[in-house]
Amino acid sequence: MNTTHDWSGGVDAEHLAHIRRRPVEFAPDGPWHLVLEVLAYAADEACGAGEGRCVVGLHADGSLSVRDDGRGTDTRVDEHGRSVKKPVMATKDLRFFDFPRAEVLPDGHPRRGMSVVAALSEWLVHTNRRLNGAWTQRYERGVPVTDLKSVESDGTTGTLVHFRPDRSLGPVTASAVADGLPRLAAAWPHLEVRVDDRRGG
């Protein structure tokens, strides 16, 4: 049963193109809104577990990262013995995308799902750690450009989403972060969020 994403297809090219054509609608606050889209999944995990931690990284090259300590993205073995990850990046979230009133993010705009982040990023690398293994995959404009690759387990679980938003969205500003953090605590009390600003200067 498909609950959040349709496992029958790994990439919905039309869906991704639709997002790319309308960046103002799907990233109304620029890159900070994309961070919130990723954090919302970490908040889901934290709510289910009773608590969770997350680090938002601001990098010198204009990229952003969100690392959480949840269970990791659902990854299964298919009938051919291959690892298959839930297609969270390249297909729509069935709960939210077509239902903008279903959930509102802390910035007051609708939650649409992780595909918005992938589609509106020049590149995105998703590293996923679960109890039964760890994997990584790279996307460009929402489309996977590598296979799902196994990586060495480090004994932890969780996800790391590292992405560089499209330059047309502009940078994440200090004021967006400062204004946004108090709202995160109010909206997601089970999730502890720390910001690691590595941009210098």
Side-chain angles (χ1 to χ4, degrees), residues 15-97:
H15 168 67
L16 296 170
H18 172 68
I19 296 169
R20 289 195 297 271
R21 288 192 297 266
R22 305 168 77 172
V24 175
E25 176 181 349
F26 295 113
D29 290 334
W32 182 246
H33 183 81
L34 302 185
V35 171
L36 296 181
E37 290 279 12
V38 184
L39 283 173
Y41 288 88
D44 290 343
E45 285 284 293
C47 184
E51 63 177 352
R53 297 170 191 79
C54 201
V55 178
V56 175
L58 312 177
H59 304 274
D61 65 353
S63 66
L64 304 162
S65 61
V66 179
R67 181 192 298 270
D68 70 51
D69 63 353
R71 296 170 297 172
T73 306
D74 193 356
T75 305
R76 307 171 185 177
V77 177
D78 68 11
E79 65 272 18
H80 304 292
R82 297 174 299 198
S83 295
V84 180
K85 181 182 65 181
K86 182 190 291 188
V88 296
M89 296 296 171
T91 68
K92 69 174 64 176
D93 191 313
L94 302 174
R95 301 169 297 174
F96 306 119
F97 193 83

Side-chain angles (χ1 to χ4, degrees), residues 20 34 61-63 116-125 138-143 145 162-170:
R20 289 195 297 271
L34 302 185
D61 65 353
S63 66
V116 167
V117 184
L120 295 179
S121 292
E122 296 175 9
W123 54 260
L124 181 151
V125 178
R138 181 183 173 94
Y139 300 77
E140 294 179 3
R141 307 290 182 184
V143 178
V145 294
H162 189 185
F163 60 99
R164 186 162 66 195
D166 188 278
R167 296 179 192 276
S168 67
L169 298 178

